[in-house]
Amino acid sequence: MKNIYLLCAIVVLFSSCGSSAKLDKSKLIGSWRLSEVVTVNDEGSEEDADGVTGSELLSKGSILHFYPDSSYTELKGYETNYGKWSFLKKKKLKYGNMELELTDYEEESDVSRLTFSMYNDDNTNTELRFIEEATKVRDYKMDPFYSDNNRWRQKPQKKETNEEIRSRLLNYILHYAYLLNASLERNETVFSFEHSKGLIKVFQGGIGAIKKNRISKLWINCFYDEADAMKAYYLFNSYLGKDGVYKGQSTGDWVKDDYVILMALYSEIKKKGKADKERFTEQDS
């Protein structure tokens, strides 16, 4: 039952309506959550997979996002992986060095499900079962988990310049704004920032910053070191109002309002990049 981590990035790619149908790429574009990992023995009996392949994956909330340009994002908790996928045959997908087979696809009125099976050396097979997490957004390049909107997660190998830190911050702000926009498009009444916690705090009609001692360590670890993360934190704070909030017009729909406000803040920071040199020194005062 090894290589399960890689397997999570594949199942979603089959768009057959039933296990014998042809693949239809368009139906599978979107987001899929791993809902169950089971081992099936040669007699057809099922049991939960072991902790490494089963409960660990489920506890981290493994989610796959597939896009029309044949790219994917695999999300496990705060960690992301990216790559390309391609179809091989009727039911097979090539992902990296893996060739995987779809065993079942169910499409119901309110939900779709996928199952992928992998045969093991002990005459059992491991089944990964996915359920549709969310429908696709109109412009997939505005999906919050599209690779270009997650460059801020990629930890650098060396100390970054002020401009590089600023660029990382801007990419994070854009990602956060796209989280709100995707929620609007999907008409979601409940959504979570769980996979994107950082320094942003949302209000009704305003954007602020979380207190420094409450910033997620996961976000800080995306930078080379904590000092670089704090540079981004102070730069962000320097654009907020005297009360620590960047405000905008209120329509009564806080998700829509905060999306517009975040995009305005993003544009302002991007536009004033050349004037940010002094802002970076605030942390030393």
Side-chain angles (χ1 to χ4, degrees):
M1 288 175 275
K2 53 189 177 180
N3 293 327
I4 296 300
Y5 181 81
L6 293 178
L7 296 176
C8 289
I10 50 89
V11 128
V12 184
L13 307 161
F14 307 102
S15 75
S16 51
C17 187
S19 59
S20 62
K22 291 184 178 180
L23 299 173
D24 179 357
K25 177 180 177 179
S26 64
K27 289 183 180 179
L28 275 294
I29 301 303
S31 304
W32 302 80
R33 178 184 292 274
L34 181 65
S35 62
E36 194 174 8
V37 182
V38 299
T39 296
V40 183
N41 61 31
D42 54 4
E43 296 178 352
S45 298
E46 295 182 3
E47 59 184 33
D48 291 339
D50 62 45
V52 174
T53 59
S55 60
E56 182 179 340
L57 282 174
L58 293 171
S59 67
K60 290 186 176 182
S62 181
I63 303 174
L64 298 174
H65 305 268
F66 289 88
Y67 304 104
D69 61 356
S70 295
S71 68
Y72 77 88
T73 298
E74 179 186 26
L75 180 66
K76 288 184 61 181
Y78 209 83
E79 181 183 352
T80 55
N81 292 283
Y82 313 99
K84 293 285 186 177
W85 58 268
S86 61
F87 291 124
L88 295 177
K89 298 180 180 179
K90 185 177 180 180
K91 298 181 186 179
K92 288 189 176 181
L93 169 86
K94 182 174 176 59
Y95 160 74
N97 295 323
M98 304 292 290
E99 293 183 12
L100 307 160
E101 185 173 356
L102 175 72
T103 56
D104 192 37
Y105 174 78
E106 299 177 45
E107 186 177 42
E108 301 175 4
S109 58
D110 58 341
V111 68
S112 296
R113 295 181 176 86
L114 288 163
T115 301
F116 171 80
S117 291
M118 174 185 176
Y119 289 96
N120 307 305
D121 295 336
D122 57 358
N123 294 322
T124 65
N125 67 287
T126 299
E127 286 193 352
L128 299 174
R129 298 171 182 175
F130 287 77
I131 189 168
E132 189 174 22
E133 172 78 356
T135 57
K136 60 186 178 182
V137 296
R138 286 189 290 270
D139 181 353
Y140 71 90
K141 291 185 178 180
M142 290 180 65
D143 186 295
F145 295 103
Y146 185 67
S147 59
D148 283 352
N149 304 324
N150 287 265
R151 293 193 304 272
W152 59 275
R153 296 183 193 265
Q154 307 308 305
K155 190 178 183 71
Q157 300 301 308
K158 59 181 179 62
K159 290 281 286 185
E160 293 189 299
T161 65
N162 288 346
E163 178 58 31
E164 288 171 331
I165 292 171
R166 178 174 159 276
S167 178
R168 186 176 294 272
L169 172 65
L170 282 168
N171 191 250
Y172 175 70
I173 294 172
L174 189 65
H175 165 84
Y176 218 82
Y178 285 169
L179 282 172
L180 296 174
N181 182 66
S183 177
L184 288 170
E185 286 196 25
R186 293 164 178 159
N187 294 315
E188 295 174 335
T189 56
V190 178
F191 64 96
S192 171
F193 297 109
E194 182 67 25
H195 302 290
S196 309
K197 290 179 180 179
L199 79 170
I200 295 176
K201 185 174 183 178
V202 295
F203 300 93
Q204 288 195 353
I207 295 296
I210 291 175
K211 291 183 179 180
K212 185 167 64 173
N213 63 352
R214 307 231 9 219
I215 299 174
S216 169
K217 294 296 184 182
L218 294 171
W219 184 81
I220 291 175
N221 288 340
C222 291
F223 293 81
Y224 179 78
D225 56 20
E226 187 170 352
D228 279 4
M230 288 301 99
K231 281 189 174 184
Y233 178 77
Y234 285 114
L235 176 62
F236 181 78
N237 272 270
S238 71
Y239 279 92
L240 305 180
K242 292 182 179 180
D243 57 355
V245 180
Y246 192 93
K247 298 179 180 178
Q249 293 184 338
S250 176
T251 65
D253 184 341
W254 75 267
V255 179
K256 180 179 180 180
D257 293 341
D258 285 351
Y259 166 68
V260 173
I261 293 168
L262 268 176
M263 291 305 297
L265 178 59
Y266 171 84
S267 296
E268 183 175 351
I269 296 175
K270 187 175 182 179
K271 184 185 300 183
K272 295 182 178 179
K274 293 182 180 180
D276 281 340
K277 291 182 179 180
E278 294 182 3
R279 295 175 184 265
F280 277 108
T281 65
E282 183 178 344
Q283 64 176 324
D284 299 322
S285 60

